[in-house]
Amino acid sequence: MNIERVLELFENLELFLRMNGDITILSSYRILNQTIEFLKSEEDVKEKERYVIRSYKALFPSKGALSEFYIWDNDFEKRKSLNESFEAIHNELWSIVKDYR
């Protein structure tokens, strides 16, 4: 697992949610911040990988949390662009963690 890339994706997701989220994603936002701090720590790579997997599962369960996150805007193009940005981050994270689940 490329921990540096995972950290970058989590940081991008944190920024995206800070700019576009609301109170309903507060617990997911906390998980993201904790994960970012852990990935920046001196822990070994295997422990970081385990932490990433746990965090991913907490952020994207089969129902709830960020699995159902969607941005609504009356402007279709803006709504589409924002949701595509979110999905791009999610899809890349999934492609990294799917073999570790």
Side-chain angles (χ1 to χ4, degrees), residues 16 20 71 73 77-87:
F16 181 87
N20 300 293
I71 297 172
D73 191 286
E77 290 302 319
K78 181 177 179 182
R79 180 174 69 238
K80 181 179 172 189
S81 174
L82 288 170
N83 286 296
E84 285 174 349
S85 297
F86 174 76
E87 282 301 312

Side-chain angles (χ1 to χ4, degrees), residues 1-18 28-29 31-37 39 48-49 51-60 66 89-90 93-94 96-97:
M1 180 181 296
N2 182 338
I3 294 298
E4 292 80 24
R5 180 61 184 151
V6 171
L7 173 58
E8 183 180 345
L9 289 167
F10 273 101
E11 288 175 330
N12 291 344
L13 185 55
E14 187 273 338
L15 177 62
F16 181 87
L17 292 177
R18 187 168 9 107
S28 296
Y29 190 76
I31 292 168
L32 273 171
N33 282 315
Q34 292 167 350
T35 305
I36 289 167
E37 288 306 310
L39 292 175
K48 288 180 179 183
E49 288 175 352
Y51 200 94
V52 165
I53 300 307
R54 284 192 305 271
S55 295
Y56 181 86
K57 288 178 179 180
L59 291 170
F60 297 99
L66 296 181
I89 296 169
H90 178 216
L93 277 171
W94 168 246
I96 293 169
V97 302

